[in-house]
Amino acid sequence: MVNSDYLNNLNEAQIEAVTQLDGPLLIVAGAGSGKTKVLTSRIAHIIKEKKAYPNQILAVTFTNKAAKEMQSRVSKILGAGATGLSWLGTFHSICAKLLRKHASAVNLNSNFTIIDTDDQIRLIKNICKAENIDVKQLAPRYILAIIDKWKNKGQYPNEVIINNKDIYEKTILPVYKIYQQKLTDLNSCDFGDLILHVVKIFENNDDIREIYSRNFKYILVDEYQDTNYIQSRWLNLLANKNKNLCCVGDDDQSIYSWRGAEIKNFLEFDQIYKDTKVIRLEENYRSTQNILSVASQLISNNQNRVGKTLRTNMEEGELIKLNCFKNGKDEAIGISDEIEKIKKKFSLNNVAILVRAIFQTREFEERFLKIGIPYRILGGTKFYERAEIKDCVAYLRIVYQDKDDLAFERIVNNPKRSIGDSTLKIIHEFSKKQNKSLEFASRKMIEDNLIKPKTKLGLSIFLNSLSKWRDDLQNKKTNHVKLLQMILDESGYSAMLKNKKDTDNENRLENIKELLSAMKEFDNLESFLEHVSLATSIDQDWDGQKINMMTMHAAKGLEFDVVFLPGWEEGLFPHQKSIEEKGQNGLEEERRLAYVGITRAKKNAIISFSMNRFYQGDWIDSMASRFIEELPNDYLQKNSFFEEDKNQIEDFEFNQDFEADDQDSVRSPGWIRYQKRIK
């Protein structure tokens, strides 16, 4: 049964977007403006008005979740009339369906296998081994990232043009050629191939392309600002016949250029399709007017945008809080104190802390663990559970305590020292017989010449290093912070991360720098290791409410009652690397990221920055982000720190951790919980 009321709940702009059925259409959908409702209502309207049968509609999303949501909503409107929407899905799922029908055109059988990332890495490793490429210097994941970049640009190996100065790409291109041939031999393809192959089939076979371009009377695309070159090319090939291409998105939320997304697809849409109708959805159903006013003012500083002004019928709401703190620790304390105040009004599940870089979560995690505020990391791992942090801590543990077999086992061959599983098994057996630690067993086996020469050399160097580090620590030749830096340098761990081309190594190095900063807060190695043990042992896996922590990139598409946005400082946000690599385009993408962060908030947004930040083991002076200067003062509530004489900054006392003379000083509930726990 058809629900005829589907148009009644739409505003004027939404109705126009739903009923404008002829010709190319670009829907500029602001944050929280109901784009999913518009898309689903448009599909229902096309079918209801008999403009096309369900199987003549192509509706494309980026995620399976979005596709299922769209299918569900259309079904609620049309009932059985939605049956037959067989071309509603993700880019990859639809292209997989097309490719199975025409696999022979790219030398595949219709029963081809789609390999996952693990299979890709295994295949790349095998190729590198055969071609004598050192995976310690050129990580398989990095190789795959470059291959994926080429595929996103629509390039088979014979179509790639590389910069001769780029030694890595010169090495990777032959790997790409072999990799692609291997996939064909295995009757397989990867996710990048799904779209690339279909595009090549359409480009080289007019008859096949004609079948689908004629059949798809209407094409709808969600999150169009996130499309890359090959996705846009595929859509243009299909839409060339009927021109009824409707693309929905928000150029102000284009934040994935590092994944290949090209904002120009959105900005130049009306140039590709000359008769494009542009409709702006500017009424927001998520946030208060004050939040929207701040976000709109900020993003208006971008030049490369279609342009829109968000508005809402909701209340003005509270002013956006802008807090300045003495340092990063005070920032974490200030935010935790604010959370204590608001948790009676808002569920912790509806509160989020959005950071620019994942290493920023450390200080918040430390604070929350200390005072007992439960939290979760969305789209990432808790700080002390990250692999590189666990590696560093393992090195410190085995230096501190030579019987720590778990630590020994973790780092004895990390980085690689030619100490494989078979050698470790022998050491384990010897250790068990002698009832001694793995380290003791290793030293004894070397002494008795029970280790193969190649392995013996690597193991000996490692054990000698342990002895040296222990001696330096015990004789106070170094402190615990310098000790870790020494370990990282002398073990080759730092060089492994710095020299290896790996897509994740930059984040790993940032996390290690943050760890070095954290260690300076402790008097010695013992107190630090005890802290780590306690931090990792506290049970956070309970079913109650938790604060959400994530990067701003991970927050896109989500919403929360209250959003904290810390670390708005030059170099950190906007990120220096983004500006250095992409110039003005990088700055504008960083500003779009700020816009995304602010518009995740429904009720309250709290922005903050620090005057000083402990970074890479040293205190550095911080400057407020240029984005803060772009925020409209009329919608901001600044904390008392702004009123202080900046020359008296050292006298500023915000946090609850200082040893106050006045025993009656106000303490936060979290601080009281902490004091009770340690007594």
Side-chain angles (χ1 to χ4, degrees):
M1 181 177 178
V2 177
N3 180 0
S4 58
D5 296 331
Y6 65 95
L7 293 178
N8 295 343
N9 297 321
L10 304 178
N11 62 42
E12 188 175 332
Q14 289 174 331
I15 291 173
E16 185 181 12
V18 168
T19 58
Q20 175 65 42
L21 300 182
D22 297 324
L25 176 64
L26 182 68
I27 302 175
V28 185
S33 62
K35 66 178 179 64
T36 304
K37 181 189 286 188
V38 166
L39 274 173
T40 53
S41 298
R42 182 177 172 85
I43 293 171
H45 192 69
I46 291 168
I47 298 171
K48 186 174 180 296
E49 294 297 310
K50 297 183 170 44
K51 291 288 186 176
Y53 293 110
N55 66 356
Q56 293 176 317
I57 299 172
L58 172 64
V60 191
T61 68
F62 272 87
T63 65
N64 289 317
K65 182 182 178 182
K68 289 177 182 177
E69 173 71 10
M70 200 176 294
Q71 179 73 60
S72 174
R73 291 198 186 193
V74 174
S75 297
K76 285 182 180 178
I77 298 174
L78 295 179
T83 305
L85 278 171
S86 52
W87 296 100
L88 192 161
T90 65
F91 279 97
H92 291 105
S93 67
I94 291 170
C95 282
K97 190 174 179 178
L98 291 168
L99 187 57
R100 293 208 183 274
K101 292 178 179 291
H102 308 284
S104 61
V106 287
N107 300 316
L108 293 173
N109 298 323
S110 60
N111 64 342
F112 63 82
T113 302
I114 304 170
I115 66 172
D116 60 18
T117 303
D118 288 342
D119 289 332
Q120 287 179 279
I121 290 174
R122 194 177 301 113
L123 182 55
I124 292 291
K125 282 181 176 177
N126 291 339
I127 296 170
C128 289
K129 185 177 181 180
E131 297 299 311
N132 294 315
I133 296 170
D134 188 358
V135 293
K136 295 179 184 177
Q137 302 298 315
L138 200 57
R141 285 187 183 276
Y142 181 77
I143 294 173
L144 283 176
I146 298 299
I147 291 174
D148 196 51
K149 180 186 74 172
W150 286 331
K151 290 186 177 184
N152 287 340
K153 290 182 177 180
Q155 297 172 336
Y156 281 134
N158 63 325
E159 298 170 310
V160 173
I161 300 174
I162 62 174
N163 185 345
N164 288 325
K165 294 181 180 179
D166 194 321
I167 59 172
Y168 296 111
E169 291 197 356
K170 285 175 70 175
T171 304
I172 294 171
L173 182 55
V175 176
Y176 182 20
K177 292 177 181 177
I178 299 169
Y179 173 77
Q180 212 58 23
Q181 186 57 55
K182 289 280 188 184
L183 288 178
T184 303
D185 294 343
L186 294 167
N187 191 37
S188 299
C189 64
D190 60 23
F191 279 95
D193 285 331
L194 294 174
I195 305 177
L196 178 61
H197 283 335
V198 172
V199 166
K200 296 301 180 182
I201 290 170
F202 285 171
E203 290 178 340
N204 298 328
N205 300 272
D206 292 343
D207 55 334
I208 296 175
R209 184 185 72 249
E210 188 73 13
I211 292 170
Y212 295 101
S213 61
R214 187 184 298 116
N215 178 72
F216 294 136
K217 292 186 176 182
Y218 290 91
I219 301 174
L220 301 91
V221 187
D222 191 17
E223 302 286 5
Y224 188 63
Q225 79 282 346
D226 292 334
T227 55
N228 57 32
Y229 170 83
I230 196 69
Q231 290 164 339
S232 177
R233 180 67 184 145
W234 176 70
L235 290 167
N236 293 337
L237 286 166
L238 286 172
N240 194 46
K241 185 77 174 176
N242 293 315
K243 307 290 187 194
N244 291 327
L245 175 61
C246 171
C247 292
V248 184
D250 185 2
D251 53 317
D252 291 334
Q253 296 188 66
S254 179
I255 58 175
Y256 295 129
S257 67
W258 50 279
R259 284 197 323 210
E262 297 191 6
I263 192 173
K264 69 177 184 180
N265 292 341
F266 196 98
L267 299 177
E268 298 176 2
F269 184 87
D270 59 348
Q271 297 176 33
I272 299 171
Y273 297 94
K274 301 299 182 183
D275 299 322
T276 294
K277 173 77 172 178
V278 179
I279 297 175
R280 290 171 171 80
L281 304 183
E282 297 177 311
E283 188 167 343
N284 176 284
Y285 294 93
R286 174 190 299 156
S287 308
T288 64
Q289 186 58 59
N290 284 339
I291 291 171
L292 297 181
S293 297
V294 169
S296 296
Q297 179 67 40
L298 176 66
I299 201 63
S300 68
N301 290 279
N302 273 8
Q303 297 176 2
N304 297 309
R305 60 190 296 260
V306 175
K308 62 183 177 301
T309 303
L310 294 180
R311 61 182 182 276
T312 183
N313 289 323
M314 299 173 63
E315 73 273 10
E316 286 190 358
E318 294 185 17
L319 296 173
I320 281 64
K321 291 183 179 178
L322 178 59
N323 295 331
C324 173
F325 296 101
K326 183 178 178 180
N327 54 53
K329 186 177 182 182
D330 277 351
E331 184 177 46
I333 292 168
I335 288 175
S336 69
D337 288 349
E338 189 74 26
I339 291 169
E340 295 279 11
K341 294 175 186 174
I342 65 171
K343 69 181 185 180
K344 293 180 181 178
K345 184 178 179 181
F346 300 103
S347 164
L348 292 185
N349 293 330
N350 284 321
V351 179
I353 298 174
L354 310 183
V355 297
R356 174 60 181 86
I358 194 64
F359 77 85
Q360 291 175 259
T361 67
R362 199 271 306 173
E363 283 189 306
F364 296 103
E365 291 188 61
E366 298 271 19
R367 180 64 182 174
F368 293 164
L369 288 168
K370 190 173 189 177
I371 66 173
I373 293 179
Y375 69 94
R376 62 171 68 87
I377 305 289
L378 296 185
T381 308
K382 292 179 178 179
F383 185 81
Y384 287 111
E385 293 174 5
R386 294 166 194 169
E388 63 279 7
I389 302 302
K390 294 179 83 170
D391 290 343
C392 290
V393 172
Y395 267 106
L396 293 170
R397 280 169 49 188
I398 193 62
V399 170
Y400 179 71
Q401 210 272 91
D402 63 3
K403 293 182 175 62
D404 193 332
D405 285 354
L406 292 175
F408 181 92
E409 192 171 21
R410 183 177 184 92
I411 48 85
V412 67
N413 198 40
N414 187 13
K416 301 294 184 184
R417 301 185 178 94
S418 301
I419 305 167
D421 291 340
S422 58
T423 302
L424 270 175
K425 185 179 179 182
I426 295 169
I427 295 173
H428 267 285
E429 290 172 352
F430 191 87
S431 166
K432 190 175 180 180
K433 285 181 183 178
Q434 298 289 320
N435 195 27
K436 298 289 185 179
S437 69
L438 293 179
E439 182 181 337
F440 180 92
S442 300
R443 294 184 185 276
K444 182 64 176 171
M445 290 177 75
I446 289 174
E447 184 183 323
D448 295 345
N449 209 24
L450 300 175
I451 302 286
K452 293 178 181 179
K454 185 180 179 183
T455 303
K456 181 179 178 180
L457 177 62
L459 186 57
S460 296
I461 293 172
F462 171 67
L463 292 172
N464 290 337
S465 295
L466 283 183
S467 297
K468 174 185 173 296
W469 298 329
R470 243 176 237 135
D471 181 69
D472 286 351
L473 183 67
Q474 291 169 359
N475 294 318
K476 298 183 178 179
K477 294 179 182 178
T478 186
N479 62 32
H480 57 298
V481 181
K482 291 180 180 178
L483 172 67
L484 178 57
Q485 191 61 69
M486 185 190 304
I487 290 171
L488 293 170
D489 292 340
E490 294 179 1
S491 69
Y493 194 94
S494 288
M496 175 185 71
L497 295 182
K498 289 175 182 175
N499 299 333
K500 189 176 183 180
K501 290 296 287 183
D502 192 326
T503 51
D504 296 325
N505 274 2
E506 186 177 331
N507 284 335
R508 294 189 183 108
L509 287 166
E510 287 288 334
N511 287 332
I512 290 173
K513 291 171 184 175
E514 184 63 20
L515 178 66
L516 288 164
S517 296
M519 290 176 66
K520 280 201 171 185
E521 298 177 15
F522 299 87
D523 294 331
N524 51 51
L525 181 57
E526 182 181 11
S527 60
F528 171 71
L529 290 176
E530 184 177 327
H531 167 76
V532 174
S533 296
L534 291 172
T536 54
S537 66
I538 293 176
D539 183 16
Q540 290 288 328
D541 296 323
W542 70 317
D543 296 328
Q545 300 175 21
K546 296 179 184 178
I547 293 289
N548 303 283
M549 278 198 284
M550 71 201 80
T551 64
M552 282 182 271
H553 283 103
K556 188 172 177 292
L558 304 178
E559 59 183 42
F560 305 92
D561 286 334
V562 183
V563 170
F564 292 91
L565 298 157
W568 281 40
E569 298 139 30
E570 281 296 305
L572 182 55
F573 192 47
H575 203 284
Q576 188 63 33
K577 184 183 176 185
S578 185
I579 297 174
E580 287 176 352
E581 292 183 351
K582 304 174 189 174
Q584 184 65 25
N585 289 336
L587 175 61
E588 293 206 353
E589 181 159 349
E590 291 287 297
R591 190 177 283 113
R592 291 195 292 270
L593 191 56
Y595 174 85
V596 167
I598 294 171
T599 55
R600 298 313 91 196
K602 297 164 65 176
K603 305 291 184 184
N604 299 102
I606 301 95
I607 299 169
S608 59
F609 67 97
S610 300
M611 303 286 296
N612 301 274
R613 195 165 288 279
F614 202 56
Y615 184 64
Q616 299 186 26
D618 293 306
W619 284 104
I620 59 172
D621 293 333
S622 302
M623 291 178 56
S625 169
R626 69 190 74 186
F627 297 155
I628 287 177
E629 295 179 9
E630 296 171 358
L631 303 176
N633 278 314
D634 290 347
Y635 301 99
L636 301 179
Q637 177 186 331
K638 300 177 181 179
N639 70 346
S640 59
F641 195 70
F642 284 93
E643 310 298 325
E644 299 286 330
D645 182 354
K646 295 300 189 271
N647 294 323
Q648 303 297 321
I649 189 170
E650 66 274 7
D651 295 328
F652 177 70
E653 292 181 329
F654 179 87
N655 73 66
Q656 307 275 352
D657 282 352
F658 65 91
E659 295 297 327
D661 294 329
D662 182 7
Q663 296 300 314
D664 294 326
S665 296
V666 177
R667 302 293 191 189
S668 72
W671 179 258
I672 294 171
R673 289 195 300 273
Y674 170 67
Q675 290 294 326
K676 287 180 178 177
R677 193 169 76 239
I678 64 175
K679 286 179 179 178

